[in-house]
Every structure is written in C-alpha cells, then in structure tokens.
Amino acid sequence: MRLIRGTFPLAVVAVCALLGRSLHLPQLFLPLMPAVAALPAMGRSGGRDVLGAGAAALGGVALLGWGARPVNVVAALAGVLTVTALIRAAARRSRRQESKLARLGRLAQVTQAAVLPRPPESVGGVRLDARYLAATPGATVGGDICGAERTPFGVRLLIGDVSGKGLDVVGTAAETLHIWRELAHHESSLAGIALRMDTAVTRIHHHDGFVTALLINVYDDGRVELLSCGHPPPLLVRGGRASWLAGLDATAPLGLMRMVQDRCPTAVVRPAPDDWLLLCTDGVAECRNGAGEFYPLAERLTAFCGHEPTVVLDALEVDLDRYRDGGSRDDAMMLLIRPPSRQHSS
C-alpha cells in the first residue's frame, strides 16, 4: 500500500492528463479526479498523504479543465474537495483509535504481568527461562502458571495448568499461584503444599474444576525433589539428549486428590553438571497437528540441544507454534531450569 503514498496520485493525474489531451477528450477524465483524492483511503495513510493526493487531484482538474465545460470543472472541484475532507476526517479518527488501542495494549500487558508474573532469570542459583504461547490470539496470560520462590527449604518451583479455556480462567490461575507462593514459604514438604493447595483449589473451583501441577524443590545440596499432581513429567537433558524423567508417579490433580485418598508420592533426582530440566504443560506435551499427531517434544528438544538453553527455547517456541498451526490450540508453557551443580552449591 505504500504505492499510494508520495508520487503515486501525481502519476495518476499525469496519466489522465496525457490521455485526455492526446484524445482531445479531457472532460471524460475529470470525474476521475475525486477518485485520485480517495486513493489514501485504500491504505493506512497519514494526513500529509491525504492532503498530497487532494492537491494532486486539484492539479489534475486544473490541467483537464482547460477548455472543458465549466459545469464539469466545478463538479470535479467540488468532488475533490469533498472527498479530501472526508478522507482527512477518517484518517484522523483512525489515528486516534490506533493510539487508544496502543495505550490499552500497553495497559493490558502491565496488568497481565502483575496478575501472572513470569519467574526471574535466576532464583537461589537456579537459572530459569520461561516461554508462554496463549491459545487466545493476542493474550499473554491464560490458564497456565509458573512460579519460583527462594524459601527456607530451598528453591521451590511450580508449573501448572488450570482447567478451563480462554481468559476466563485468568482470575483462578492468579489465585492459585498466590496460594502456592504463600505455602511454599511455610510448608516443609511438597506433600504438605499439595494437600493444602488441593483444599484451596476445591474451594476456588466449587468442586467442578482442577489444576494439574508439578511441584519442585531444589535443595542446597543439589537434590531435586518432584511431585506431580496429574501433570506431565519433566524432560531431562543430559549429554545432548532429552528423555522423559522416569520414576515419577503422578497423583491426582489438585482439587481431585480426595479420589486417591490424598496420596502424594515424590521422586528425587541428582542432576549432573550441565543437566537441564524442561517443564511443560499439556499444551506442549499433548500438542497435536492438523493430522492429530502428537508433537515429538523429546525428539525436537534433542535436535536443538547443541545450542544455549535460551536459544533452545526460542527454537522450540517457533517450532511448536508452526506444528500446531491447523490443529487444536491450547495454552502452552515451557519452563527450563538449570539447577546449580553440587560443587557450586557446596
């Protein structure tokens, strides 16, 4: 659409003038001049473009009007001036609306960041990097949550998925994250956090919803304890290969633990130096393409492992978004954690 800016209206006027004069029928081209003035309406043009197109159209009327019938010239002039005024007013309204939308967009980003903030780059020596792909276009928050807190019991991490779709679950997600933050600093065990969160989620959802969650405790001696509440296990990246972490038995999601009599099994691993852990929600682990095929996360992660972790997440984000294009879309979150080595933590 940049063609309609600058000299394009003037070129149209020149062509009309040349054809009109060469054919000795300039009056037939006079009605085209209001259309030349309306050219900026075809694109996102500013006030100067509108005035420039109007000036070019008036010049065309002057060129073609020489020797034409006065009534045709007057009609063409009136048409150019009317169209220019209308397009100018429309351009001003469009700019005001765009400015208002931009302000609202910035306000929404600040508000969303305050409601569901992303974790910092490092907490207690644990390096973190998060990516979020919203199912709702333009959204930066949804039903997926993650958090990281430095506590008296070590660094505690959470990644979770609140049941429900769209932006309606944002309030529930924010309340769930707030409850976890409080419990992370006061409950000595992951099981204790899970049981108290289960009660809270039941109250928040009014017995008709749940939250899948992965609770993690990174101890100062390098151990990593995990508790899965109906959540996909993490991927362990070791020696350039990614594999799903074995030995982690999942219990029921938060809000449904009464169905398994509050059973909360945990698993403990000791990452080797340079190991990564990739945590993800169902939007990643159960992502399907248009043909219904699952996204091969472990395989793709292994293929990207030759790069820095941040670059790996960037590549995964682009690859996942491309893969799920045409398939069902769900909120998707990835949280990459790099625990400190035991040599460093000692």
Side-chain angles (χ1 to χ4, degrees), residues 178-189:
H178 175 73
I179 292 169
W180 171 79
R181 283 201 181 103
E182 291 297 317
L183 293 174
H185 288 271
H186 297 95
E187 281 291 333
S188 60
S189 68

Side-chain angles (χ1 to χ4, degrees), residues 151-209:
T151 75
F153 313 102
V155 175
R156 285 183 161 170
L157 306 166
L158 164 76
I159 186 169
D161 187 355
V162 180
S163 63
K165 296 289 186 180
L167 298 178
D168 293 338
V169 301
V170 173
T172 302
E175 189 170 355
T176 302
L177 184 59
H178 175 73
I179 292 169
W180 171 79
R181 283 201 181 103
E182 291 297 317
L183 293 174
H185 288 271
H186 297 95
E187 281 291 333
S188 60
S189 68
L190 294 183
I193 295 176
L195 292 173
R196 293 189 61 179
M197 286 188 70
D198 176 75
T199 301
V201 168
T202 301
R203 172 181 56 81
I204 295 170
H205 279 279
H206 305 291
H207 304 280
D208 61 356

Side-chain angles (χ1 to χ4, degrees), residues 199-287:
T199 301
V201 168
T202 301
R203 172 181 56 81
I204 295 170
H205 279 279
H206 305 291
H207 304 280
D208 61 356
F210 59 89
V211 177
T212 67
L214 186 61
L215 308 177
I216 295 180
N217 202 139
V218 182
Y219 295 99
D220 293 337
D221 62 2
R223 290 177 298 137
V224 177
E225 184 181 13
L226 306 99
L227 194 162
S228 173
C229 302
H231 199 82
L235 281 155
L236 174 64
V237 179
R238 175 174 291 175
R241 295 188 61 84
S243 59
W244 296 100
L245 188 66
L248 179 60
D249 296 328
T251 186
L254 301 173
L256 301 176
M257 283 188 171
R258 59 190 179 278
M259 301 175 62
V260 294
Q261 298 180 344
D262 298 338
R263 178 174 170 270
C264 296
T266 64
V268 177
V269 296
R270 287 185 176 270
D274 300 323
D275 280 358
W276 311 345
L277 285 172
L278 179 68
L279 286 55
C280 64
T281 58
D282 288 344
V284 181
E286 299 180 3
C287 170

Side-chain angles (χ1 to χ4, degrees), residues 19-209:
L19 289 175
R21 288 299 176 183
S22 63
L23 297 175
H24 303 289
L25 297 172
Q27 66 272 13
L28 294 182
F29 291 86
L30 279 173
L32 295 179
M33 293 303 100
V36 172
L39 283 176
M42 298 172 57
R44 299 165 60 88
S45 300
R48 291 183 179 179
D49 299 309
V50 175
L51 293 178
L58 289 175
V61 172
L63 290 173
L64 295 170
W66 188 266
R69 296 177 59 187
V71 65
N72 292 340
V73 175
V74 172
L77 286 172
V80 168
L81 292 174
T82 300
V83 169
T84 301
L86 291 175
I87 301 302
R88 173 74 166 171
R92 287 178 174 175
R93 286 196 301 270
S94 178
R95 287 199 305 273
R96 287 197 296 267
Q97 291 175 353
E98 290 177 358
S99 178
K100 182 178 180 181
L101 288 174
R103 290 195 300 270
L104 289 175
R106 290 192 294 269
L107 177 61
Q109 290 178 352
V110 172
T111 303
Q112 290 172 338
V115 172
L116 290 175
R118 295 292 174 256
E121 294 182 358
S122 178
V123 176
V126 179
R127 291 171 292 175
L128 308 169
D129 201 347
R131 294 291 186 278
Y132 178 70
L133 286 78
T136 303
T140 58
V141 294
D144 289 3
I145 56 177
C146 67
E149 294 288 325
R150 175 63 171 158
T151 75
F153 313 102
V155 175
R156 285 183 161 170
L157 306 166
L158 164 76
I159 186 169
D161 187 355
V162 180
S163 63
K165 296 289 186 180
L167 298 178
D168 293 338
V169 301
V170 173
T172 302
E175 189 170 355
T176 302
L177 184 59
H178 175 73
I179 292 169
W180 171 79
R181 283 201 181 103
E182 291 297 317
L183 293 174
H185 288 271
H186 297 95
E187 281 291 333
S188 60
S189 68
L190 294 183
I193 295 176
L195 292 173
R196 293 189 61 179
M197 286 188 70
D198 176 75
T199 301
V201 168
T202 301
R203 172 181 56 81
I204 295 170
H205 279 279
H206 305 291
H207 304 280
D208 61 356

